[in-house]
Amino acid sequence: FWLKCVLLGALFGRRVMAQYGKPEYWEERYTRDPDPFDWYQRWAGLKDVLQEFIQPNFSILNVGCGNSKLSEEMYEEGYHEIENIDISQVCIQAMREKYNDKPGMNYQQMDCRELKYPDGTFNAVLDKGTIDSILCGEGSTHNAQKTFSEISRVLKPNGVYVAISHGAPSYRLTYLQRPEYGWSVKIQQVQKPMMGMTASLAPDDKDNVHYIYICTKGQGAEGEKKE
């Protein structure tokens, strides 16, 4: 019986995770539950790492922003040029209304596989759990590659793509180190926050850290781990 429960739990977890790759899941979720919600980490848990690579005067794109408070918390610390995009129109409309008093904080409904920005627009692209969601869905490898290609395209030379992920390097570097993106990849880790403060996209996520992949646009290189 115990083994059956474990197997059913694992199967249910995979089914739930598969929903994360579907746009209609997020539209329904944000309609049902409009309250602010953060996957993985809040700004307080990330700032010591991110401030090393993302300056307040940078133009920043936050992909898959959801209704997270990350951009708000960054704005309060002097980051005043943040474009936020999400696949969900319901979410974007709510966030536009919430932050319409903050100049430079913009929200647009957009698919990160087909960004509507010119080449070389941003100094930095932030991704907190978005690529993890994409990798949960159907056609995950193809969709991840399209997303990374678009992110690389809209980054300025020497721009940085920062992905906060539950995926370990043995899984993520296969995607990030493709030569066509031209990224050099560094990895840092942050401790997971206390239970209940944030959520994970993976129900069987047992590691006690989140990984931060810092991908600098330039000459591609082998990933190195920075403690």
Side-chain angles (χ1 to χ4, degrees):
F1 174 78
W2 177 84
L3 179 60
K4 183 178 180 181
C5 288
V6 170
L7 292 173
L8 285 173
L11 179 61
F12 176 74
R14 286 195 296 270
R15 287 177 176 172
V16 170
M17 286 177 64
Q19 299 298 310
Y20 296 148
K22 297 180 178 180
E24 57 269 25
Y25 167 83
W26 297 106
E27 198 76 345
E28 190 276 333
R29 179 187 175 116
Y30 291 125
T31 301
R32 182 184 72 244
D33 187 6
D35 292 338
F37 188 84
D38 270 277
W39 297 99
Y40 302 164
Q41 298 276 343
R42 296 281 294 272
W43 170 244
L46 299 170
K47 61 186 293 184
D48 287 348
V49 175
L50 297 192
Q51 286 177 331
E52 181 181 347
F53 301 98
I54 303 177
Q55 304 304 315
N57 64 340
F58 277 12
S59 57
I60 300 167
L61 174 64
N62 183 7
V63 295
C65 61
N67 54 15
S68 163
K69 298 188 73 172
L70 178 66
S71 289
E72 174 190 337
E73 292 166 346
M74 292 180 70
Y75 195 93
E76 290 171 354
E77 295 216 11
Y79 294 86
H80 290 167
E81 193 176 342
I82 308 177
E83 288 282 323
N84 301 273
I85 66 168
D86 199 275
I87 197 80
S88 169
Q89 183 61 49
V90 169
C91 172
I92 288 299
Q93 185 58 39
M95 297 298 272
R96 277 179 184 160
E97 294 172 3
K98 182 175 182 178
Y99 295 115
N100 63 4
D101 62 337
K102 289 182 165 49
M105 181 117 95
N106 302 311
Y107 285 85
Q108 294 195 62
Q109 191 277 331
M110 199 177 298
D111 188 332
C112 59
R113 298 169 298 180
E114 191 175 354
L115 298 175
K116 308 298 185 185
Y117 300 106
D119 296 0
T121 300
F122 299 100
N123 299 109
V125 176
L126 265 178
D127 163 5
K128 186 157 68 76
T130 297
I131 201 63
D132 289 356
S133 293
I134 291 170
L135 289 171
C136 289
E138 295 179 4
S140 58
T141 297
H142 175 68
N143 288 328
Q145 289 173 356
K146 287 180 68 175
T147 299
F148 291 141
S149 292
E150 282 292 271
I151 289 172
S152 180
R153 181 183 64 79
V154 302
L155 277 174
K156 297 177 185 290
N158 300 312
V160 63
Y161 165 52
V162 179
I164 296 94
S165 172
H166 72 79
S170 57
Y171 297 102
R172 291 296 179 263
L173 289 179
T174 303
Y175 296 98
L176 295 171
Q177 290 185 320
R178 291 175 66 96
E180 58 263 39
Y181 310 141
W183 291 337
S184 60
V185 184
K186 294 182 179 179
I187 308 163
Q188 295 205 13
Q189 299 176 3
V190 289
Q191 291 295 123
K192 288 182 179 176
M194 294 173 59
M195 289 294 291
M197 293 178 62
T198 60
S200 173
L201 284 162
D204 57 350
D205 188 4
K206 296 182 177 63
D207 292 341
N208 64 352
V209 299
H210 290 128
Y211 299 93
I212 304 179
Y213 296 93
I214 302 107
C215 308
T216 304
K217 185 177 179 179
Q219 196 64 34
E222 290 298 314
E224 65 180 272
K225 183 173 178 179
K226 183 174 179 181
E227 299 296 341

Coordinates of all heavy atoms in Angstrom, one line a residue, residues 3 13 18 22 26 43-44 53 57-58 73 81 84 90 103 107 110 146 155 158 166 177 185 190 205 218-220 225:
L3 N 3.9 1.6 -1.1 CA 4.6 1.8 -2.3 C 3.6 2.3 -3.4 O 3.9 3.2 -4.2 CB 5.2 0.4 -2.8 CG 5.9 0.4 -4.2 CD1 7.0 1.4 -4.2 CD2 6.4 -0.9 -4.5
G13 N 2.4 14.0 -9.4 CA 3.3 15.1 -9.5 C 3.7 15.4 -10.9 O 3.8 16.6 -11.4
A18 N 3.3 18.7 -15.8 CA 3.1 18.8 -17.3 C 2.2 20.0 -17.6 O 2.2 20.6 -18.7 CB 2.5 17.5 -17.8
K22 N 1.7 24.6 -20.2 CA 0.5 24.9 -21.0 C 0.0 26.4 -20.7 O -0.3 26.7 -19.6 CB -0.7 24.0 -20.8 CG -0.4 22.5 -21.2 CD -1.5 21.6 -20.9 CE -1.2 20.2 -21.3 NZ -2.4 19.3 -21.0
W26 N -1.9 28.6 -17.0 CA -1.6 29.9 -16.3 C -2.7 30.9 -16.4 O -3.0 31.6 -15.4 CB -0.3 30.4 -16.9 CG 0.8 29.5 -16.6 CD1 1.5 28.7 -17.5 CD2 1.5 29.2 -15.4 NE1 2.5 28.0 -16.9 CE2 2.5 28.3 -15.6 CE3 1.3 29.7 -14.1 CZ2 3.3 27.8 -14.6 CZ3 2.1 29.3 -13.0 CH2 3.1 28.3 -13.3
W43 N 13.3 38.6 -3.8 CA 14.4 39.4 -4.1 C 15.5 39.3 -2.9 O 16.7 39.2 -3.2 CB 14.0 40.8 -4.3 CG 15.1 41.8 -4.3 CD1 15.3 42.9 -3.5 CD2 16.1 42.0 -5.3 NE1 16.4 43.6 -3.9 CE2 16.9 43.1 -5.0 CE3 16.4 41.2 -6.5 CZ2 18.0 43.5 -5.7 CZ3 17.5 41.6 -7.2 CH2 18.3 42.7 -6.9
A44 N 15.0 39.3 -1.7 CA 15.9 39.2 -0.6 C 16.9 38.0 -0.6 O 18.0 38.1 -0.2 CB 15.1 39.2 0.7
F53 N 25.8 41.2 -10.9 CA 25.7 41.1 -12.4 C 24.7 42.0 -13.1 O 24.8 42.3 -14.3 CB 25.4 39.7 -12.8 CG 26.3 38.7 -12.3 CD1 26.1 37.9 -11.1 CD2 27.5 38.4 -13.0 CE1 27.0 37.0 -10.6 CE2 28.5 37.5 -12.5 CZ 28.2 36.8 -11.3
N57 N 21.1 50.7 -13.4 CA 20.8 51.5 -14.6 C 20.6 50.6 -15.9 O 20.4 51.1 -17.0 CB 22.0 52.5 -14.9 CG 23.3 51.7 -15.2 OD1 23.5 50.6 -14.8 ND2 24.2 52.4 -15.8
F58 N 20.6 49.3 -15.7 CA 20.4 48.3 -16.8 C 18.9 48.4 -17.2 O 18.0 48.6 -16.5 CB 20.7 46.9 -16.3 CG 22.1 46.5 -16.4 CD1 23.1 47.5 -16.5 CD2 22.5 45.2 -16.2 CE1 24.5 47.1 -16.6 CE2 23.8 44.8 -16.3 CZ 24.8 45.8 -16.4
E73 N 10.0 44.6 -5.9 CA 11.1 44.7 -4.9 C 12.4 45.3 -5.5 O 13.1 46.0 -4.8 CB 11.3 43.4 -4.2 CG 10.1 43.0 -3.4 CD 10.1 41.5 -3.0 OE1 10.9 40.7 -3.5 OE2 9.3 41.1 -2.1
E81 N 14.0 50.4 -14.9 CA 13.7 50.1 -16.3 C 13.5 48.6 -16.4 O 14.5 47.9 -16.8 CB 14.9 50.6 -17.1 CG 14.6 50.7 -18.6 CD 15.7 51.3 -19.4 OE1 16.6 51.9 -18.9 OE2 15.7 51.0 -20.7
N84 N 8.3 43.6 -18.1 CA 7.8 42.4 -17.6 C 6.9 41.7 -18.6 O 5.9 42.4 -19.1 CB 7.1 42.6 -16.3 CG 7.9 43.2 -15.2 OD1 8.6 42.5 -14.5 ND2 7.9 44.5 -15.1
V90 N -4.6 37.7 -18.5 CA -5.3 38.0 -17.2 C -4.2 38.6 -16.2 O -4.5 39.6 -15.6 CB -6.0 36.8 -16.7 CG1 -6.4 37.0 -15.2 CG2 -7.1 36.4 -17.5
P103 N 6.8 54.6 -13.1 CA 7.3 54.9 -14.5 C 8.5 53.9 -14.7 O 9.3 53.7 -13.9 CB 7.8 56.3 -14.4 CG 7.2 56.9 -13.2 CD 6.9 55.8 -12.3
Y107 N 4.4 46.2 -18.4 CA 3.9 44.8 -18.5 C 3.3 44.6 -19.8 O 2.4 45.4 -20.3 CB 2.9 44.5 -17.4 CG 3.5 44.4 -16.0 CD1 3.8 45.5 -15.2 CD2 3.9 43.1 -15.5 CE1 4.4 45.3 -14.0 CE2 4.5 43.0 -14.3 CZ 4.8 44.1 -13.5 OH 5.4 43.9 -12.3
M110 N 3.1 38.4 -23.8 CA 4.1 38.0 -24.8 C 4.5 36.6 -24.6 O 4.6 36.1 -23.4 CB 5.3 39.0 -24.8 CG 6.1 39.0 -26.1 SD 7.4 40.2 -26.0 CE 6.5 41.7 -25.9
K146 N 14.0 27.6 -28.6 CA 13.4 28.9 -29.2 C 13.5 30.0 -28.2 O 13.8 31.1 -28.5 CB 12.0 28.6 -29.6 CG 11.8 27.8 -30.8 CD 10.3 27.6 -31.2 CE 9.7 28.9 -31.6 NZ 8.3 28.6 -32.1
L155 N 19.4 40.4 -26.1 CA 20.5 40.9 -25.2 C 21.5 41.7 -26.0 O 21.9 41.4 -27.1 CB 21.2 39.7 -24.6 CG 20.6 39.1 -23.3 CD1 21.4 37.8 -22.9 CD2 20.5 40.0 -22.2
N158 N 27.6 41.5 -24.4 CA 28.0 41.5 -23.0 C 26.8 41.5 -22.0 O 27.0 41.7 -20.8 CB 29.0 42.5 -22.6 CG 30.3 42.4 -23.4 OD1 30.9 41.3 -23.5 ND2 30.7 43.5 -24.0
H166 N 15.4 25.2 -10.3 CA 15.6 24.0 -9.5 C 16.4 22.9 -10.2 O 16.9 22.0 -9.5 CB 14.2 23.4 -9.0 CG 13.5 22.7 -10.1 ND1 13.9 21.4 -10.5 CD2 12.5 23.0 -10.9 CE1 13.0 21.0 -11.4 NE2 12.2 21.9 -11.7
Q177 N 24.6 25.7 -22.8 CA 25.9 25.8 -23.4 C 25.9 25.5 -24.9 O 27.0 25.3 -25.5 CB 26.9 24.9 -22.7 CG 27.2 25.4 -21.3 CD 28.3 24.6 -20.6 OE1 28.3 23.4 -20.7 NE2 29.1 25.2 -19.9
V185 N 28.9 30.6 -19.2 CA 27.9 30.3 -18.1 C 28.7 30.1 -16.7 O 29.6 29.3 -16.7 CB 27.1 29.0 -18.4 CG1 26.1 28.7 -17.3 CG2 26.5 29.1 -19.8
V190 N 21.9 29.3 -4.1 CA 21.3 30.0 -2.9 C 20.5 29.0 -2.2 O 19.9 28.1 -2.8 CB 20.5 31.2 -3.3 CG1 21.3 32.3 -3.8 CG2 19.4 30.8 -4.3
D205 N 11.3 17.8 -5.6 CA 12.5 18.6 -5.5 C 13.1 18.5 -4.1 O 12.6 19.1 -3.2 CB 12.2 20.0 -5.9 CG 13.4 20.9 -6.0 OD1 14.5 20.4 -5.9 OD2 13.2 22.1 -6.2
G218 N 28.6 36.7 -25.2 CA 29.9 36.9 -25.7 C 30.5 35.6 -26.3 O 29.8 34.8 -26.8
Q219 N 31.7 35.4 -26.1 CA 32.4 34.2 -26.5 C 31.9 33.0 -25.6 O 32.1 33.1 -24.4 CB 33.9 34.3 -26.5 CG 34.6 33.2 -27.3 CD 34.2 33.3 -28.8 OE1 34.0 34.4 -29.3 NE2 34.1 32.2 -29.5
G220 N 31.3 32.0 -26.2 CA 30.8 30.9 -25.4 C 32.0 30.2 -24.7 O 33.1 30.1 -25.2
K225 N 31.7 26.6 -12.1 CA 30.9 26.8 -10.9 C 31.6 27.7 -9.9 O 32.8 27.5 -9.6 CB 30.7 25.4 -10.2 CG 29.9 25.5 -8.9 CD 29.6 24.1 -8.4 CE 28.7 24.1 -7.2 NZ 28.4 22.8 -6.7

